Amino acid sequence: MSSYQSINPANNQLLKSWTSHDDAYVQQALETADRLYHSDWCKGDIQPRLQVLKRLADLIDARVEQLATIASQEMGKLIGQSRGEVKICAQIARYYAEHAATLLQPQAYPSDVGDAWLEYHPIGVIVAVEPWNFPYYQLMRVLAPNLALGNPVLAKHANIVPHCADAFEKLVHEAGAPPGAWTNLYISNDQVADLIADDRVQGVALTGSERAGSAVAQQAGKYLKKSTLELGGNDVFVVLDDADLDEAVRQGAQARLSNCGQVCTAAKRFIVHEKIAGPFMAKFSAALQSAVAGDPLDEKTTLGPLSSQDARERLIKQVDEAIAQGAKVEIGGRAIDGVGNYFQPTILTGLTPDNPAYYQEFFGPVAQVYVVASDSAVVALANDSHYGLGGSVWTRDIARGRKMAAQIETGMVFINSQSDTAAELPFGGVKRSGYGRELSDLGLKEFANQKLVVVAG
């Protein structure tokens, strides 16, 4: 039985199983990718590669509905959110098609040694290990910059989204990428480890859990391979006493319920100034409780299921343990009865540092609320975390917001907006949220040989 199965989490019906790839297939895929890396396609003129990205963007734009439906059926994302994800994939492909050539121009370094510049070259085959929560966007974040640069990619997607993985690979080929440029592999963690150990592989990019990141980073370190890790988050959503309260509540509820709360940069810890804590809690509770659970393909649904039975079991256990250790349930707190992997929108308060949940990431529609009296208390609580991915600060005083943003130890902070993403903006974190950046010019250069050339003066 293959471990790669497409199961609709709204009703737990098996849609299709996919056959795992054996070692012979993996070796063939690696050989094809490595051969491509040593060809003119990867090492020559960038324009043919950028044309593939341009065609890929057009193909995706033409198939938004079809691709969105696959994602919603396979991992439970609301159809409107799936459409949004598909559209941003087209934007990312188009961004690199239009800007990569400029971003990869040689960069001059004034020097007494001579005429010096930096060139950007591909380094070789990259292995990508990607998660189910954004089943296309996560792949595109790796494909677009590496295709532009000339690094072939072998991709191991999460085993609950094999249909998305297959659809994405077919699109890349249809856009004109040669065999080896992007290869989807239905493989095990042990097969991933073997790939990382192979001399032909030069880097590994992983988005996923802390545990998966640690395993991949250990293997990459052992074999001296460059790695980037995009891991969990425990992002703060700070509402100061001078915030636009209604807008903060609206976006805060959205930021906690979007993708059923299964977003690494989702708002998870709501830190609220004591002066507005009462009205915030009343409005925020009402906003979460107004969520309508249902079929992700129904436009009226505002709360989809968690991605799998396992995901729901994990969340139930986590919430129960938090409560046993002293957390107070303000609303929700339980799974929703009936078919599918649904969970009530939940608010927990009274979390203290001796409660393990205080440091955990809740991957589901569970908000933690903390009330504080000062800006310095906000920063101290925000930074009392193993993670450091994103965050959001709400205030009408932009200078106050900027000062706070500078002090929060994360890779990203948004002022008066929930965390967001765009092709031209770098994405990544610090601490246990990982290292390296994806998207923007930084993502393009993560797996580049940044080669210095000097002509003696």
Side-chain angles (χ1 to χ4, degrees):
M1 187 186 83
S2 169
S3 64
Y4 283 84
Q5 293 189 320
S6 185
I7 294 171
N8 184 340
N11 56 24
N12 287 320
Q13 297 291 309
L14 175 65
L15 301 171
K16 188 177 174 185
S17 290
W18 307 74
T19 307
S20 293
H21 290 133
D22 62 13
D23 291 341
Y25 186 93
V26 175
Q27 277 305 309
Q28 185 61 57
L30 176 54
E31 203 171 298
T32 303
D34 185 58
R35 197 163 51 240
L36 184 67
Y37 168 65
H38 288 99
S39 75
D40 274 353
W41 163 261
C42 288
K43 302 206 169 175
D45 180 23
I46 193 172
Q47 287 307 322
R49 301 193 297 274
L50 300 188
Q51 287 309 309
V52 170
L53 285 173
K54 186 175 176 301
R55 283 196 296 273
L56 181 58
D58 292 342
L59 282 174
I60 292 171
D61 275 337
R63 295 192 199 158
V64 171
E65 207 57 29
Q66 178 194 343
L67 292 165
T69 303
I70 294 171
S72 289
Q73 288 176 332
E74 192 164 59
M75 57 72 56
K77 194 187 302 277
L78 300 185
I79 187 65
Q81 291 170 18
S82 291
R83 289 185 196 115
E85 179 183 343
V86 172
K87 286 173 185 166
I88 197 170
C89 288
Q91 285 167 7
I92 293 168
R94 198 163 275 119
Y95 170 79
Y96 284 106
E98 291 171 359
H99 298 285
T102 308
L103 295 172
L104 293 172
Q105 283 294 313
Q107 182 188 345
Y109 274 77
S111 168
D112 295 340
V113 174
D115 186 9
W117 66 90
L118 206 59
E119 296 177 354
Y120 300 98
H121 298 280
I123 58 170
V125 179
I126 306 297
V127 170
V129 180
E130 300 302 321
W132 45 261
N133 60 338
F134 289 90
Y136 302 123
Y137 163 75
Q138 298 288 2
L139 302 185
M140 185 58 85
R141 287 200 331 195
V142 178
L143 169 82
N146 283 293
L147 185 67
L149 186 61
N151 291 326
V153 180
L154 301 174
K156 181 236 179 288
H157 212 342
N159 61 1
I160 64 169
V161 287
H163 194 172
C164 290
D166 181 54
F168 189 87
E169 182 185 49
K170 288 183 169 132
L171 279 167
V172 176
H173 292 162
E174 194 181 333
W182 177 272
T183 312
N184 170 49
L185 296 175
Y186 296 132
I187 56 176
S188 67
N189 294 340
D190 288 345
Q191 286 171 301
V192 171
D194 290 343
L195 275 175
I196 295 170
D198 194 289
D199 283 343
R200 291 167 288 184
V201 168
Q202 290 305 313
V204 54
L206 175 137
T207 298
S209 68
E210 201 183 316
R211 192 173 51 83
S214 177
V216 161
Q218 282 182 60
Q219 185 73 346
K222 182 178 176 184
Y223 290 97
L224 303 177
K225 304 295 171 74
K226 164 83 192 240
S227 61
T228 59
L229 301 179
E230 303 287 354
L231 308 178
N234 208 352
D235 288 12
V236 291
F237 190 97
V238 177
V239 187
L240 296 175
D241 49 338
D242 62 354
D244 177 340
L245 199 57
D246 288 337
E247 188 58 14
V249 166
R250 186 185 75 79
Q251 289 205 37
Q254 224 175 33
R256 187 57 284 199
L257 297 184
S258 177
N259 212 17
C260 197
Q262 302 168 114
V263 185
C264 47
T265 55
K268 293 177 185 142
R269 296 183 296 154
F270 290 77
I271 305 180
V272 186
H273 196 284
E274 63 182 13
K275 284 185 187 161
I276 46 107
F280 176 84
M281 272 299 277
K283 289 170 186 259
F284 186 52
S285 300
L288 292 189
Q289 285 179 304
S290 71
V292 181
D295 180 356
L297 293 174
D298 183 341
E299 303 280 354
K300 294 192 289 294
T301 301
T302 55
L303 181 71
L306 290 159
S307 62
S308 66
Q309 254 175 320
D310 284 353
R312 185 167 82 156
E313 290 304 319
R314 264 197 306 276
L315 192 65
I316 292 169
K317 186 164 176 269
Q318 208 178 1
V319 171
D320 288 349
E321 283 173 0
I323 296 164
Q325 297 288 331
K328 179 168 180 261
V329 180
E330 301 293 339
I331 61 164
R334 294 200 316 278
I336 296 174
D337 295 334
V339 292
N341 305 311
Y342 294 86
F343 196 92
Q344 295 173 339
T346 298
I347 297 177
L348 299 178
T349 56
L351 285 144
T352 51
D354 58 354
N355 188 333
Y358 180 89
Y359 290 108
Q360 288 170 358
E361 175 181 31
F362 283 79
F363 225 55
V366 178
Q368 306 175 26
V369 177
Y370 301 86
V371 178
V372 297
S374 68
D375 289 16
S376 59
V378 168
V379 171
L381 181 53
N383 292 343
D384 188 11
S385 172
H386 301 318
Y387 296 106
L389 192 52
S392 182
V393 176
W394 290 79
T395 173
R396 285 192 170 92
D397 180 346
I398 301 304
R400 184 185 184 190
R402 287 174 67 143
K403 186 181 174 195
M404 187 171 281
Q407 294 174 308
I408 293 175
E409 296 167 348
T410 60
M412 307 173 277
V413 180
F414 288 77
I415 298 170
N416 294 333
S417 152
Q418 59 187 298
S419 289
D420 205 350
T421 184
E424 67 277 9
L425 298 177
F427 185 105
V430 293
K431 301 197 226 181
R432 290 190 202 169
S433 291
Y435 48 77
R437 294 293 181 269
E438 291 189 337
L439 301 177
S440 78
D441 58 322
L442 300 184
L444 188 58
K445 293 169 183 176
E446 281 287 358
F447 292 105
N449 173 8
Q450 304 186 26
K451 181 190 291 183
L452 175 68
V453 182
V454 181
V455 179

